[in-house]
Each structure stands twice: as C-alpha cells, then as structure tokens.
Amino acid sequence: MTFRSFLASHLESYLTFRQKLGYASFAGSPALHRAKELDDSVMSRGLRSVKQMDERFLIDWIHARLNRNSGTRNTLLWFVRGFFNYLIRLGVAQDNPT
C-alpha cells in the first residue's frame, strides 16, 4: 500500500478486513481511493493521533472539494464511519466522531 500517515497499518488492515468480507479487492477499488484520500488529508494536516480526527476534521475532509455531490459526500461518510467502527473494535479509538 501507499499509505503514509500514522493510520497506515490500520487503513491496510481495514481494507484487508473488507476484502475478506467480500468487498472489492484493493486494485482500483473505491474504498482504496477513499482511504488514500483520508490518509493524504491526515498527512497534510499533520495529525498524529486518532483523537485529533474529530468531527470538524471529518466535515472539512468530506467537503474539501467544492464539486463533490451529495452522493460522493455520503459515500465518504459511510467509509469513514465504518473505518472508525473498526478502530473502536481494535481499541484504537474510543468513539466514532461521525
């Protein structure tokens, strides 16, 4: 994978988990693109912990591009909600800001 933030190993394991559940493989999958975009945003903001990924950060991430339609924003929200639920199960996050 090409993740670079502190979330790299968690993003990789989340995508692997999704793949085992029968979702699309990594290559070209929409989930991979969403994960890379989240990772890039975490890196550009210099975040170092899950606690810094609050509601404000996620709203800014979802609305970062003005040309996103409501369907795309909902898809991003769906992805990050699932990712945070996964982090909670791992004990990495205490709550889900979505």
Side-chain angles (χ1 to χ4, degrees):
M1 292 286 141
T2 58
F3 302 120
R4 303 172 301 136
S5 74
F6 75 92
L7 290 172
S9 64
H10 298 303
L11 287 166
E12 289 176 16
S13 66
Y14 179 60
L15 292 175
T16 299
F17 171 73
R18 287 177 47 81
Q19 187 176 20
K20 288 178 182 177
L21 291 176
Y23 290 94
S25 66
F26 295 139
S29 89
L32 176 60
H33 296 296
R34 292 193 270 299
K36 284 182 179 180
E37 189 176 329
L38 179 62
D39 187 64
D40 289 344
S41 187
V42 167
M43 285 294 295
S44 70
R45 297 263 180 112
L47 303 184
R48 299 274 183 230
S49 76
V50 172
K51 290 180 182 180
Q52 293 177 298
M53 297 176 68
D54 59 7
E55 184 178 334
R56 178 80 262 157
F57 166 77
L58 295 174
I59 289 170
D60 290 347
W61 173 63
I62 289 169
H63 293 279
R65 294 186 187 154
L66 297 177
N67 62 344
R68 283 189 175 143
N69 64 39
S70 61
T72 300
R73 290 190 304 266
N74 285 334
T75 301
L76 292 171
L77 179 60
W78 173 82
F79 172 80
V80 78
R81 182 178 292 143
F83 180 58
F84 263 93
N85 287 337
Y86 178 76
L87 293 177
I88 290 169
R89 283 194 302 273
L90 293 178
V92 174
Q94 300 301 315
D95 61 347
N96 191 331
T98 63

